[in-house]
Amino acid sequence: MAVAVMGTMLVGCDSGSEKASPTSPSRTTAPVSPQPGKSPRPGKSPQPGKPVDKVEKKAPNGLTPVFERAPTAASKTVALTFDADMTADQGPRAARGERFDNPALIASLRKLNVPSTVFMTGRWAEEYPDQAKSIGSDPLFEVANHSYSHYAFKSPCYGLPVVGNNDMRADVDRAFDAFKKAGVRNVVPYFRFPGGCYNDAALRAIAPAKVTAVQWDVVSGDAFATNADAVAEQVLAGVRPGSLVVMHCTRSAAPVTEQAVRRIVPELRERGYRFVKVSDLMRR
């Protein structure tokens, strides 16, 4: 049962949308190898590789701005992002030996010299403070906010528990506090909604935190995938100049990500792509 719950959470995180549709179908929690080039994302967000007209959406009426990818005229740059997911109530599972980290993935990114942005939950930083500090002290990486609890900021959202509107800002702040306590230094003012689910109420609630909400245009399909080549093919089929890819840094729930990255990186470099952090992509 625990694995099924985590499956819902991670599949939701990997298939979230700009504004997740309330009629989105439920997700299976069984491992399913993604089809290359196919995106499971519901809602109005663009499919992987489909151009987005603006670098950053405006923030009318005090809403948090949203960034999805660089302009279509961007050079051949791509940002790989990794969600370090752990929900507030998963401590007992970690105590029983379930691993929500992925040291091998971080080691491979270092070996391949891939600048990356890690969207970390505050609970993950508390569980793995040494790793959080190491990632956040390495200039190759930047750490962004993925909430403290990994609870949804909009309902429904793939079975995730929901944060109340009045608690959303506090949840964001609590994650930043957890980073500070762990000694994470390279923190950027970006936020990724758990599950990718949000609405205007959520954008308004977190606006005082002065963050930019970061989504994506390429879904890797790595959550619970068992076929690294299928994950790699899906990313390779979706990437365009200025793309932003969502992947995971959670060993138990995304077990083939590191293997997929070892194929994705050299193949994209052969195509002339250069890897950048989200902060660099925003400046394109």
Side-chain angles (χ1 to χ4, degrees):
M1 180 61 71
V3 173
V5 174
M6 188 60 177
T8 302
M9 292 177 179
L10 265 288
V11 172
C13 196
D14 203 30
S15 41
S17 67
E18 174 196 353
K19 293 187 180 180
S21 168
T23 58
S24 298
S26 352
R27 295 296 187 197
T28 177
T29 56
V32 178
S33 296
Q35 299 179 32
K38 298 292 184 181
S39 168
R41 298 169 64 199
K44 300 179 181 178
S45 290
Q47 298 298 311
K50 184 177 179 181
V52 175
D53 293 334
K54 297 180 181 179
V55 177
E56 185 173 297
K57 294 183 178 179
K58 300 300 181 182
N61 303 319
L63 303 185
T64 297
V66 181
F67 178 85
E68 291 179 336
R69 58 167 286 160
T72 54
S75 60
K76 295 185 79 169
T77 55
V78 57
L80 298 186
T81 69
F82 299 90
D83 291 358
D85 294 340
M86 186 173 183
T87 62
D89 57 359
Q90 288 175 336
R93 289 167 57 180
R96 290 193 296 268
E98 185 170 349
R99 303 300 304 192
F100 298 93
D101 61 342
N102 195 338
L105 170 63
I106 299 301
S108 287
L109 292 171
R110 284 172 168 147
K111 183 176 181 180
L112 293 166
N113 194 31
V114 181
S116 308
T117 303
V118 177
F119 285 84
M120 190 179 293
T121 66
R123 183 65 187 87
W124 194 98
E126 289 179 348
E127 188 69 29
Y128 305 108
D130 292 341
Q131 291 188 57
K133 181 178 180 179
S134 177
I135 293 168
S137 300
D138 188 335
L140 192 65
F141 304 115
E142 62 187 11
V143 174
N145 195 315
H146 194 32
S147 81
Y148 172 82
S149 62
H150 201 257
Y151 289 177
F153 282 55
K154 173 185 179 292
S155 181
C157 186
Y158 309 105
L160 288 170
V162 182
V163 179
N165 276 18
N166 293 335
D167 298 323
M168 291 179 181
R169 165 71 190 279
D171 193 83
V172 174
D173 289 344
R174 189 177 179 187
F176 281 129
D177 289 343
F179 301 162
K180 184 176 180 180
K181 184 175 181 180
V184 179
R185 292 187 297 178
N186 303 330
V187 179
V188 288
Y190 309 145
F191 178 76
R192 175 165 286 166
F193 287 99
C197 305
Y198 70 89
N199 53 21
D200 283 355
L203 292 176
R204 186 171 291 108
I206 68 169
K210 305 296 183 185
V211 293
T212 296
V214 175
Q215 296 290 93
W216 54 83
D217 69 305
V218 178
V219 176
S220 69
D222 66 339
F224 286 94
T226 57
N227 186 331
D229 284 331
V231 173
E233 290 291 347
Q234 181 151 312
V235 173
L236 293 168
V239 166
R240 299 293 183 273
S243 279
L244 199 158
V245 183
V246 59
M247 305 185 82
H248 291 88
C249 183
T250 311
R251 197 186 329 176
S252 62
V256 300
T257 303
E258 186 265 341
Q259 186 180 346
V261 163
R262 285 191 277 113
R263 178 181 167 193
I264 291 166
V265 170
E267 290 200 23
L268 285 179
R269 281 178 171 157
E270 282 186 9
R271 297 180 188 180
Y273 279 92
R274 183 167 61 88
F275 294 94
V276 298
K277 304 170 192 173
V278 170
S279 56
D280 297 316
L281 197 66
M282 283 188 182
R283 289 193 283 266
R284 299 291 151 186

